[in-house]
């Protein structure tokens, strides 16, 4: 299957010839794993976060989305494929979020009509693996192309953010990405800190749970401020953001790892102490965290981070990835291990899902 990158992501591509005139487009977009997380919003409707976040875009996991724009009245037709089976009606809550974003993009473009959408994930959805980030990034990129727009990556990031899945703002870019917390049009889109080939890091994802999470990130953002530790985390973040930026620039893995692990634990402390509390961790999460500490004692540089779910992302360097995957895969609590790494970001595909 052939693929092309987006402007600002893959520098070797000349996209000037790719002005979309067709009304159908397919885009494959990866999830991202945040080193410094988005948790709590100043304006949740518009996904304006309290704090900047920094992430690494993955390569192997992806959402793929085909969008067709029909210049006729009617309901949007949304199909979804979660696993290996065929396409079916998307789960109601997810379909509603997709529908709302399609309406938003239609309004933005100043057009009528309706959309046919098919979307699929290569990995379990809604389990803290950022399927919303990749899904809404792919949906935004495919819809704008199907409408004939060939936008700058900053505008694509803003539009993806407006989906309500704020982390989708980061998934339109490859490599290492920062999403600032500003409120203005110029300050609410993500930008690339460094391309994927700047630093080859791996993410070994230990799956301890693949069902949907009990509390959505949206509810987590809503409750974040009710935690007594919310303000303390905000106080710590400027120093941590700077440390992560510097660690990426200097390719200093030990520094990056210690900050990202502390940050993940703090985020979950905020979640566990919010009103009402949110416990994303499962017993399996703790056994993976213990195994990662043991790996470090054995001389393997591996560090953990968890999004809004029980699964553990283990950041490590390429030479250690196999050993980390083997050790974590041996744990009774771990059902599966996904070995991923930093990647160059979304791509346009010529082959459509329908
Ligand atoms: C913990 O509001 O972007 O992953 O819509 O579920 O993707 P979804 O969540 P979103 O919040 C992300 C929360 C987080 C941290 C992060 O990725 O920054």
């Amino acid at each position: 299957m052939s693929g092309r990158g987006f402007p600002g992501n893959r520098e070797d591509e000349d996209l000037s010839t790719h002005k979309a005139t067709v009304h159908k487009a397919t885009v494959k977009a990866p999830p991202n794993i945040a080193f410094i997380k988005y948790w709590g919003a100043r304006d949740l409707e518009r996904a304006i976060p309290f704090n900047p976040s920094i992430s690494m875009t993955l390569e192997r996991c992806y959402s793929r989305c085909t969008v067709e724009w029909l210049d006729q009245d009617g309901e949007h037709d949304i199909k979804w494929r979660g696993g290996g089976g065929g396409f079916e009606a998307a789960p109601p809550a997810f379909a509603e979020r997709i529908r709302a974003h399609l309406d938003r993009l239609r309004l933005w473009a100043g057009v009528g009509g309706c959309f046919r959408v098919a979307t699929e994930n290569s990995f379990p959805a809604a389990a803290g693996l950022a399927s919303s980030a990749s899904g809404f990034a792919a949906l935004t990129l495919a819809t704008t192309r199907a409408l004939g727009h060939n936008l700058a990556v900053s505008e694509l990031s803003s539009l993806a953010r407006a989906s309500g899945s704020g982390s989708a703002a980061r998934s339109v870019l490859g490599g290492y990405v920062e999403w600032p917390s500003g409120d203005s049009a110029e300050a609410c889109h993500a930008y690339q800190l460094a391309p994927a080939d700047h630093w080859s890091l791996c993410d070994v994802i230990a799956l301890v749970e693949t069902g949907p999470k009990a509390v959505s990130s949206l509810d987590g953002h809503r409750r974040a401020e009710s935690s007594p530790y919310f303000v303390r985390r905000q106080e710590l973040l400027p120093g941590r953001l700077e440390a992560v930026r510097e660690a990426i620039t200097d390719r200093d893995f030990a520094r990056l790892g210690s900050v990202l692990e502390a940050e993940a634990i703090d985020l979950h402390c905020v979640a566990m102490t919010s009103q009402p509390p949110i416990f994303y961790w499962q017993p399996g999460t703790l056994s993976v965290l213990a195994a990662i500490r043991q790996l470090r004692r054995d001389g393997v540089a591996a560090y953990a981070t968890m999004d809004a779910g029980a699964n553990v992302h283990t950041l490590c360097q390429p030479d250690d990835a196999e050993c980390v995957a083997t050790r974590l895969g041996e744990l009774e609590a771990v059902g599966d291990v996904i070995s991923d790494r930093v990647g160059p970001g979304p791509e346009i595909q010529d082959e459509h899902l329908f």
Side-chain angles (χ1 to χ4, degrees):
M1 189 175 278
S2 63
R4 304 187 292 273
F6 279 86
N9 290 357
R10 292 170 194 236
E11 281 150 25
D12 55 339
E13 295 278 349
D14 173 11
L15 290 164
S16 55
T17 55
H18 298 321
K19 291 214 167 53
T21 49
V22 289
H23 292 162
K24 193 175 192 178
T26 297
V27 171
K28 183 174 160 185
N32 62 80
I33 180 64
F35 299 158
I36 301 288
K37 318 264 185 200
Y38 159 41
W39 201 246
R42 274 187 288 135
D43 180 346
L44 195 54
E45 280 287 300
R46 296 167 55 226
I48 303 295
F50 270 111
N51 60 271
S53 52
I54 297 179
S55 60
M56 176 178 104
T57 300
L58 301 184
E59 184 178 48
R60 293 180 185 137
C61 290
Y62 63 84
S63 296
R64 192 190 339 251
C65 182
T66 296
V67 177
E68 183 176 27
W69 177 53
L70 305 169
D71 192 10
Q72 63 190 43
D73 288 342
E75 293 289 306
H76 305 311
D77 175 21
I78 301 162
K79 294 280 188 299
W80 175 80
R81 175 157 67 186
F87 282 94
E88 52 191 343
F94 186 47
E96 200 34 60
R97 289 181 70 189
I98 292 178
R99 202 164 282 121
H101 197 46
L102 292 171
D103 288 348
R104 190 178 289 116
L105 292 173
R106 195 173 50 181
L107 195 67
W108 164 84
V111 297
C114 61
F115 296 98
R116 278 181 75 198
V117 174
T119 184
E120 66 176 5
N121 280 333
S122 73
F123 58 98
L129 298 184
S131 61
S132 306
S134 53
F136 282 101
L139 179 73
T140 305
L141 299 175
T143 306
T144 52
R145 284 191 75 77
L147 288 169
H149 292 273
N150 199 3
L151 304 173
V153 78
S154 55
E155 194 162 359
L156 290 166
S157 174
S158 285
L159 288 173
R161 192 207 85 244
S163 69
S165 175
S167 51
R170 300 187 309 244
S171 262
V172 305
L173 290 129
Y176 300 88
V177 176
E178 175 154 357
W179 171 30
S181 55
D183 199 351
S184 66
E186 301 76 44
C188 62
H189 62 80
Y191 62 91
Q192 193 178 64
L193 287 171
D197 61 10
H198 166 73
W199 197 14
S200 174
L201 288 186
C202 297
D203 179 8
V204 178
I205 309 164
L207 299 180
V208 300
E209 192 182 63
T210 52
K213 58 197 173 210
V215 181
S216 68
S217 302
L218 224 51
D219 274 336
H221 295 308
R222 250 181 225 119
R223 293 183 208 175
E225 269 185 286
S226 66
S227 163
Y229 303 108
F230 177 78
V231 171
R232 181 64 190 136
R233 175 169 173 266
Q234 294 297 317
E235 286 167 358
L236 290 169
L237 281 177
R240 286 186 175 164
L241 283 156
E242 196 46 33
V244 167
R245 289 184 201 110
E246 284 173 14
I248 290 171
T249 304
D250 301 344
R251 300 186 193 90
D252 182 342
F253 189 59
R255 185 163 189 216
L256 175 71
S258 63
V259 177
L260 74 86
E261 195 166 292
E263 152 65 1
I265 292 168
D266 280 7
L267 178 136
H268 284 269
C269 286
V270 169
M272 287 182 216
T273 52
S274 59
Q275 293 302 323
I278 310 169
F279 294 93
Y280 287 118
W281 291 9
Q282 296 290 322
T285 312
L286 290 170
S287 45
V288 177
L289 291 177
I292 290 170
R293 286 196 299 275
Q294 185 59 47
L295 276 163
R296 286 208 291 271
R297 282 194 290 272
D298 295 343
V300 179
Y303 296 89
T305 183
M306 292 75 60
D307 279 346
N311 299 316
V312 183
H313 293 252
T314 315
L315 273 293
C316 62
Q317 297 171 100
D319 286 350
D320 295 325
E322 208 180 313
C323 162
V324 170
T326 304
R327 288 275 281 273
L328 299 184
E330 282 165 2
L331 299 174
E332 207 180 312
V334 174
D336 210 350
V337 167
I338 300 175
S339 289
D340 213 327
R341 61 182 177 210
V342 63
E347 62 179 44
I348 302 154
Q349 300 206 314
D350 294 328
E351 203 173 299
H352 303 300
L353 291 170
F354 58 85

